[in-house]
Structures are given as C-alpha cells and as structure tokens.
Amino acid sequence: ASFADFTEMMRALGYPRLISMENFHTPNFMLVSEVLLWLVKRYEPQTDIPPDVATEQDRVFFIKAVAQFMATKAHIKLNTKKLYQADGYAVKELLKVTSVLYGAMNTKGVGRADVSEEDSSKFKFDLGSKIADLKAARQLASEITSKGASLYDLLGKEVELREARTESIARPLEINEAEKAMKIAIDCVLEQVQKTKDMLNNVALDEASLEAKIEKRKLELERSQKRLQTLQSVRPAFMDEYEKIEEQLQKQYSSYLEKFRNLTYLEHLVDDQRRTEQEMFE
C-alpha cells in the first residue's frame, strides 16, 4: 500500500478534508492525531479517548490510548514510535487501520464509485453495538426457554387446579369465617400503621443527628480549606532547583528527539543501501 492508497481510502471512508503528501514532509502531529481520532470514532463512535494533545505528556498518552484501543478492539498492532514521529512513517501505521475499515466497507457492498459524501458520512462500523445486541439476544433466548418450561409445568397441573377451583367456587360463603379473616386483615393493617408511625418518629431523631454531623463536617471542611490556603501560599524550598532541572530536561528531550529522527533516517538509508547491494549481488 502507498500514500495514494491511503488518501483514496480516507476519501472513500468520508474523511471531511483532503490529505496530500505535502502534509507529511515535516512532522505534523496535529493532523496525525486528528486522523487517528477520526478513525477510532469511525470504528466505535462511543469511545472516550481524550483528544487533548497540547503537551508532550498528553501526546504520549493519546498515542498509547489509541494503540491500546486498536490492539484490543480490532487486533491491529501499531508502532507508537512511528505514530509519534507524525511523518511518512506514521502514514504506514495509519494504513493498517484504514485498510481494515475500507475492507469492511467493501464487504458490506459499498462501492467506492457509488459512495457520495453524504452516504460515506453515514457509514458506521460500530462493532460494540453488535456485541451488545448479541448479548441481549442470548439473554432473551435463555429467558424464553425458562419461561416456556415454567408455563409447561403450570399447564400440566391445570387438571388438578381446575377441580380445586370449581370446588372452592361452589362452596357456600360462611359469614363467621369471612368475619374472622377480615379481623385478621384489619389487625395486620393496624400493626403496619403503628410501625410506620414509629418509623416517622425515629426519622425526626435521625434528622437531628444528621444535622449535627453535617455541622461538624462543615467545621472540619473550613479548617481543612484554611490549612490548604496556608500550604499553597508557601513556596517549597526545592521549587527553584526543580524548575531548573525541568528546563534542562526539556533541552535534553529536544536533543534526544533530534537524534532519534536522525537515527531513523540513517537506518532508512542503511536499509536502502543493503537492498541495493542485495539486488546487485543477485
């Protein structure tokens, strides 16, 4: 697959802007992160990967999150270092994801020539929702089986129950038994009413206790806030040294990044030289 294939696949999948090789002549992390987030959303719209890439730590976290998502959900292994370079090497990693989505779109019978911008924007590859539907279907199937077995058992007892029901309906109603049952029901209701009144009385006591606890917690919160303000106003003794070391670390990281890019370029030249020597040897 080449860069032309990548741009063609992105266009067919409905990416809203055009991509050219000029965009990747120099490292363009913002474009790479935008494309990665768009591909992840295309694969599973409900994902919650944070799009913030303002700092180096945010960028590292973003690349790791995307790589972990693709490895878990789509079984696609991405090279995080090449993605972080955000140059031509990153395009090869992006091709791994676009190839899967493009193949899935073609499997569904959507031709590239027949896909308009409006139709391609509606194309979704939501594997998560399909798995959820499958789990719901399995649960419903098991419930239907258990309900059917229970209904079959109840229908088997209908002959005996019909006779008992007919006998109970035909038996004359006795006033004494009905009066006794009503008295028992009334006593139960009165007992429940008394329990409810007792619970209401206890609620007042609990409310007073909770108010006292809330007041105590408020006082503790005020003391904690005052202590926090005091601590925030005091500058630690090691902060000057910390800021100095942090500035040195930033310079070292810039130097490391430049050397890493040079090393990658030299490795690429060595690979080309070995390939040329191999071809000449053959």
Side-chain angles (χ1 to χ4, degrees):
S2 62
F3 185 83
D5 297 329
F6 172 71
T7 56
E8 178 66 19
M9 290 179 185
M10 292 296 292
R11 185 192 66 79
L13 291 172
Y15 189 65
R17 56 177 287 188
L18 296 176
I19 302 176
S20 64
M21 191 61 188
E22 299 293 334
N23 299 128
F24 295 97
H25 279 171
T26 57
N28 192 348
F29 192 87
M30 297 304 296
L31 178 58
V32 171
S33 63
E34 180 183 343
V35 171
L36 280 173
L37 187 60
W38 186 86
L39 290 173
V40 169
K41 292 290 186 182
R42 178 68 74 183
Y43 191 86
E44 185 172 333
Q46 305 300 326
T47 186
D48 55 352
I49 295 178
D52 188 14
V53 292
T55 63
E56 295 174 2
Q57 185 177 1
D58 293 335
R59 294 182 179 184
V60 172
F61 178 79
F62 175 80
I63 293 296
K64 288 183 177 180
V66 171
Q68 184 177 3
F69 173 84
M70 286 300 170
T72 304
K73 299 293 184 179
H75 303 289
I76 300 175
K77 186 177 181 181
L78 299 177
N79 190 318
T80 54
K81 290 185 178 180
K82 292 184 178 180
L83 285 176
Y84 192 84
Q85 289 178 225
D87 52 10
Y89 290 98
V91 176
K92 296 181 179 180
E93 302 301 315
L94 294 175
L95 267 171
K96 298 178 181 179
V97 183
T98 54
S99 300
V100 174
L101 293 176
Y102 186 75
M105 185 179 68
N106 289 335
T107 303
K108 285 190 173 184
V110 182
R112 285 185 296 177
D114 299 332
V115 177
S116 62
E117 294 182 359
E118 182 179 0
D119 294 335
S120 61
S121 64
K122 296 179 181 178
F123 171 73
K124 300 293 182 184
F125 191 71
D126 190 359
L127 184 60
S129 63
K130 301 298 182 184
I131 295 176
D133 294 342
L134 180 60
K135 291 181 179 178
R138 288 178 177 175
Q139 183 177 0
L140 290 175
S142 62
E143 290 180 2
I144 290 172
T145 303
S146 61
K147 296 292 184 182
S150 177
L151 181 61
Y152 178 80
D153 294 337
L154 293 175
L155 289 176
K157 300 177 182 179
E158 175 60 21
V159 178
E160 299 177 2
L161 295 176
R162 186 187 301 117
E163 295 178 358
R165 186 169 58 250
T166 303
E167 183 180 354
S168 298
I169 294 174
R171 187 173 58 186
L173 180 62
E174 296 183 3
I175 301 299
N176 294 332
E177 292 183 359
E179 184 179 0
K180 185 178 180 180
M182 289 297 295
K183 286 182 178 180
I184 294 174
I186 291 172
D187 292 338
C188 291
V189 171
L190 292 176
E191 184 180 357
Q192 292 294 331
V193 171
Q194 187 61 36
K195 288 182 179 180
T196 304
K197 288 181 179 180
D198 295 339
M199 291 176 64
L200 290 175
N201 294 330
N202 293 331
V203 165
L205 298 176
D206 294 340
E207 184 178 359
S209 177
L210 288 175
E211 288 179 354
K213 290 182 179 179
I214 291 172
E215 189 65 26
K216 182 180 178 181
R217 295 295 183 184
K218 285 182 179 179
L219 294 175
E220 293 179 356
L221 177 61
E222 290 178 359
R223 288 196 296 267
S224 299
Q225 288 178 345
K226 290 180 181 179
R227 184 180 179 186
L228 176 61
Q229 292 176 358
T230 304
L231 293 175
Q232 287 178 343
S233 61
V234 178
R235 179 180 176 85
F238 59 84
M239 281 302 298
D240 295 336
E241 183 180 1
Y242 172 78
E243 292 177 354
K244 183 178 179 181
I245 295 175
E246 187 177 17
E247 184 178 355
Q248 294 176 357
L249 177 62
Q250 181 68 28
K251 294 180 181 179
Q252 291 293 335
Y253 179 76
S254 300
S255 176
Y256 163 76
L257 189 60
E258 181 179 359
K259 292 179 180 180
F260 178 78
R261 289 177 179 170
N262 293 337
L263 177 61
T264 305
Y265 176 72
L266 292 175
E267 289 177 351
H268 177 68
L269 293 179
V270 170
D271 291 340
D272 291 343
Q273 182 66 24
R274 290 177 178 174
R275 192 181 303 109
T276 303
E277 293 177 356
Q278 182 67 23
E279 292 177 355
M280 293 177 62
F281 177 75
E282 292 176 356

